[in-house]
Amino acid sequence: MAKKIAADVTSVQESTADKEMRILTAARVVKIGDEEIQVKPYSWANTFRLAKPFGIVFGAVTAHLKDIQVLLNDLEGQGNLSQFKLMTDFIGSIDEAENIITSLTELIVLSTKLDKDKVENLLLDDFIRLGIAVYDVNRDFFLRRLGPMMPKPRLKEKAKAEK
């Protein structure tokens, strides 16, 4: 029986090592125009540079939980174009809109090593595609490291309680 437990422990360790290797090699190439842009996972060296933009985005999320729930309810069953319009209208309606856009730009710059001016001058659909790639490549970081820091109340329950 001891051998079986040892084998199970080894497989867990291998699984963890596989996961870590997947995270380390999680780069993706996004083609924008004629250029191929390498999107890489956030590095330890960028940790302190990530704090400010994440703080701004999280602050805006926590300040607008009720509004975000309304937005999420409105997005259900809508087509992509309608969803995009609702999301851009929402971002444009909050006071922190400019800070959020600046923060998202910084997060993309840190993952792509592109010049900030180049990211700011991307077409909107290219900015969104690149932002999605940054999220996908760094998904483990977002979900495991930042997820637990997000506000705990469920959005729908909070919205119902406030009505």
Side-chain angles (χ1 to χ4, degrees), residues 2 65 75 89 98 103 107 123:
L65 283 176
L75 291 176
D89 288 348
E98 189 171 327
S103 296
L107 295 173
L123 295 174

Side-chain angles (χ1 to χ4, degrees), residues 39 65 93 97 105 116 145 160:
V39 179
L65 283 176
S93 72
T105 300
K116 184 177 179 181
R145 301 296 186 261
K160 286 179 184 177

